[in-house]
Amino acid sequence: MSAERDEIAVVGAGLAGCLLACYLARRGYPVALYERRPDPRTGRVERGRSINLALSERGLDALRRIGLAEQVMADALPMRGRMIHPVAGEPQFQSYSGSGDRAINSISRGALNNALLDAAAALPGVRIAFDHRLVGLDPTSGEMTFETPQGKVAATASVVLGADGAGSAVRGQLLGYGVLTESLDFLDYGYKELTIPPLGGDFALDPSALHIWPRGTSMMIALPNPDRSFTCTLFWPTHGTASFASLGSPAAIERHFATHYPDLIPLAPNLVDDYQHNPVGVLGTVRCAPWQVAGKVALLGDAAHAIVPFYGQGANCAMEDVVELDRCLDECDDDWSAALPLYQRRRQDNAEAIARMALANFVEMRDKVASPVFQTRKRVEHALERALPGRYVSQYELVSFSTTPYAQVRRRVRRQYAVVGAVAAGGLALLVGAVGAAIGRGRRG
Ligand SMILES: Cc1cc2nc3c(=O)[nH]c(=O)nc-3n(C[C@H](O)[C@H](O)[C@H](O)COP(=O)(O)OP(=O)(O)OC[C@H]3O[C@@H](n4cnc5c(N)ncnc54)[C@H](O)[C@@H]3O)c2cc1C
C-alpha cells in the first residue's frame, strides 16, 4: 500500500512529530522525519530543560490508539492532587478530582520522546534524518532545504507537516512567503529548573502530588522523577525586584530561598549551583493563521499554538492535534486538500481555548490556591461533582481527565459557574437541583 502513496515530510522529531510519523506510517504513508538535533537516544541531555511533564488523558488517548500507553505509563508517577507549601506551616493536599483517585502523570519528556522515536523508527516506511535543520521551504512545490553537518541538502515531499516547536522554522518560512501571520505574546516571566535529589534513597517529598509553592506574583512547582528525585521549576519575573535578574550572588540566592521557600533549603543541596548555571527559559503564547496552506503544508503542536505551561497541556494538546488530523484523513479519504483545512477548522478554536485557560491558571497556581476562598470553592466543587456525577464536572477534570474539546470545556464551565453563582445563596439542596436542571437544558440546547 505504501508504494502507492507519496512521501510525507514531518519536520521536527519531538513529541508531536514522532507521534505523527507513527500515525501516518500506520495509514501506509512513507514518512521522512527530519530533526535538527542529533539522535537524542545517543546524545547528552541538555542541562536544566524541562526533564519531566504532566501527561493526562488527551496524551494518553493518543498513545493508546497506537498501543504505546502501557509502555509509557510503566515509568510514570501518578499525581492525584496539589501539595501546597506555605511559607510557614505544614503543606496541604488538594485533590484534583471529586473522587480523589484521578491523577495526572509525571513522566520524563526525554524518555517519552525516545519511546516515540523507537516506535516510529520500527515502522516500515519511516526514515529519520537527524542533524537536518530546515532552513528553506517552498510552500507551493514542497521543496525543502536542510542544513546538515555535510552541508546543505535538498528534499521534496507531496505534503510537509511542521512539528518543529514554538520557534518553528516551517512557520517562519510561511511567514516569509507572506502566506501566514503570527503573534507572539511573551510573559514577563521566565522559568528555571532546580533539583531535589533523593533523600536517604527515597523521595524527599510525597511523590503522589504535584508540589506548589505559591508566592503571589511568582511560584515554584516540583514534579517527581522515577529516580526518586524531583525537578523543581521556578516561575519568576524576569526583571524587577525578586526576579531572575535581581538575584545573582550565592548569599542573595540563599537568603531569598530561606525567606520564601524555607522548606526547600534542607532538600536541595545544589540549590545555588543549579540556580547559577541552569538557563532561564522564556514563556509565551504563539498564535498564527492559517495553520495550513493549499492542502500542502500544515503546522501541528507548538509550531501552530505554543501555550504557557500552567495547565500542563502543551504536549497533551500537541498529541491531540495528531489524533484529529488522523481523524480528518479518515473522513476525507486521505484527500489532503480537504483534510488539512478540516483539521485547522476543528483545532483552532480549541487551541485558543486552552491558551486562555493556561494563562488564567498561572494566576490560580501562583496565588489563588493558597487562599481559603479558593479552597472552599474547590471543596464545594468536589461536593457537587460527587452529588451530580457526570453532570457537574470541574474545569480541571474536563481539561485533564477527558477528551472533551477545550472550547466546549470553556462553554460548559461558564454555564456551570453562572448557575452556581446565581443560586449559591439558596443552600446546597436548591443548588444541586438547579445545577442539574440547567446542565440538562444546556446539553439539549
Ligand atoms: C517548563 C515547561 C513545562 C511544561 N510542562 C508541560 C506539562 O506538564 N504537560 C504538557 O502537556 N506540556 C508541558 N509543556 C509543553 C510541552 O513541552 C510542549 O507543548 C511540547 O513539547 C510540544 O511538542 P512539539 O512536538 O510540538 O514541539 P517540541 O517538543 O518543541 O519539538 C519540536 C522538535 O522540532 C525540532 N526542530 C526545531 N526546529 C527545527 C528545524 N528547523 N528543523 C528540524 N527540526 C527542528 C526540535 O529539535 C524538536 O525536536 C511544558 C513546557 C515547558 C516549557
Side-chain angles (χ1 to χ4, degrees):
M1 179 165 153
S2 58
E4 294 163 18
R5 298 205 191 260
D6 291 332
E7 186 171 79
I8 309 294
V10 175
V11 182
L15 303 181
C18 292
L19 185 72
L20 184 58
C22 292
Y23 271 72
L24 292 175
R26 211 176 51 149
R27 300 188 76 81
Y29 287 99
V31 180
L33 180 54
Y34 297 102
E35 168 57 44
R36 73 175 170 188
R37 297 171 303 171
D39 189 338
R41 294 167 297 182
T42 54
R44 273 183 342 114
V45 178
E46 218 180 325
R47 180 172 181 155
R49 283 287 181 211
S50 188
I51 69 155
N52 55 17
L53 52 77
L55 183 69
S56 50
E57 180 52 27
R58 292 163 206 270
L60 282 172
D61 174 61
L63 294 171
R64 252 182 239 121
R65 289 167 188 263
I66 53 166
L68 273 186
E70 219 172 288
Q71 180 195 334
V72 166
M73 285 297 285
D75 287 328
L77 292 159
M79 302 176 291
R80 289 179 297 100
R82 299 159 162 165
M83 189 72 83
I84 309 299
H85 294 248
V87 177
E90 288 301 304
Q92 287 160 6
F93 181 77
Q94 297 174 5
S95 171
Y96 279 135
S97 63
S99 61
D101 58 0
R102 295 188 138 176
I104 57 174
N105 305 286
S106 177
I107 55 154
S108 148
R109 176 151 70 156
L112 175 59
N113 208 149
N114 290 351
L116 286 166
L117 263 176
D118 284 342
L123 288 168
V126 177
R127 179 167 65 82
I128 309 180
F130 292 106
D131 288 313
H132 275 58
R133 175 194 292 270
L134 183 120
V135 290
L137 167 67
D138 180 335
T140 31
S141 64
E143 281 170 36
M144 298 165 283
T145 309
F146 295 95
E147 263 174 18
T148 76
Q150 289 74 43
K152 288 215 165 141
V153 169
T156 311
S158 62
V159 174
V160 178
L161 301 170
D164 50 346
S168 171
V170 174
R171 196 179 72 239
Q173 291 293 314
L174 299 180
L175 195 66
Y177 273 86
V179 292
L180 170 145
T181 55
E182 68 173 15
S183 77
L184 315 176
D185 292 314
F186 291 105
L187 295 187
D188 298 332
Y189 284 79
Y191 72 91
K192 185 192 279 284
E193 295 188 347
L194 309 172
T195 303
I196 297 180
L199 189 63
D202 207 352
F203 289 103
L205 299 167
D206 180 349
S208 67
L210 187 153
H211 295 259
I212 308 180
W213 287 256
R215 297 294 181 261
T217 54
S218 60
M219 68 171 181
M220 179 173 79
I221 66 169
L223 275 71
N225 298 309
D227 67 0
R228 297 176 180 244
S229 67
F230 278 81
T231 301
C232 305
T233 311
L234 299 169
F235 294 100
W236 284 4
T238 42
H239 291 94
T241 45
S243 69
F244 285 125
S246 70
L247 213 59
S249 73
I253 294 164
E254 274 171 6
R255 214 170 30 246
H256 185 85
F257 279 92
T259 307
H260 300 284
Y261 306 90
D263 57 343
L264 182 70
I265 302 285
L267 306 180
N270 298 324
L271 173 63
V272 172
D273 186 57
D274 279 353
Y275 185 91
Q276 287 191 313
H277 293 104
N278 287 349
V280 176
V282 295
L283 297 165
T285 306
V286 172
R287 295 180 174 89
C288 68
W291 285 7
Q292 69 86 38
V293 177
K296 186 132 191 109
V297 180
L299 301 169
L300 289 95
D302 277 13
H305 51 72
I307 60 176
V308 294
F310 306 112
Y311 230 116
Q313 285 294 309
N316 286 284
C317 180
M319 291 161 87
E320 201 175 46
D321 283 352
V322 175
V323 174
E324 189 58 60
L325 177 56
D326 189 54
R327 197 177 284 136
C328 293
L329 286 167
D330 270 346
E331 290 175 29
C332 298
D333 291 329
D334 289 273
D335 173 356
W336 287 84
S337 64
L340 291 183
L342 182 61
Y343 151 77
Q344 172 181 307
R345 276 201 301 282
R346 294 223 178 125
R347 289 303 286 165
Q348 244 172 347
D349 284 356
N350 290 313
E352 180 56 27
I354 190 59
R356 285 168 188 251
M357 288 190 278
L359 282 164
N361 220 43
F362 187 23
V363 184
E364 177 161 320
M365 286 177 83
R366 71 175 197 235
D367 195 13
K368 292 189 188 164
V369 286
S371 94
V373 174
F374 175 87
Q375 288 161 16
T376 306
R377 204 190 87 200
K378 277 284 153 207
R379 276 195 292 274
V380 170
E381 250 190 354
H382 287 163
L384 283 168
E385 283 178 315
R386 285 190 294 272
L388 297 163
R391 297 169 80 197
Y392 185 97
V393 187
S394 73
Q395 177 172 298
Y396 194 88
E397 286 223 19
L398 289 166
V399 167
S400 303
F401 304 134
S402 87
T403 54
T404 306
Y406 293 119
Q408 223 169 293
V409 170
R410 288 194 89 210
R411 287 195 292 273
R412 177 170 174 173
V413 167
R414 271 202 291 264
R415 228 166 36 229
Q416 288 181 172
Y417 283 171
V419 176
V420 171
V423 297
L428 195 58
L430 184 60
L431 186 65
V432 167
V435 173
I439 292 166
R441 272 200 306 283
R443 275 208 187 126
R444 289 189 294 276

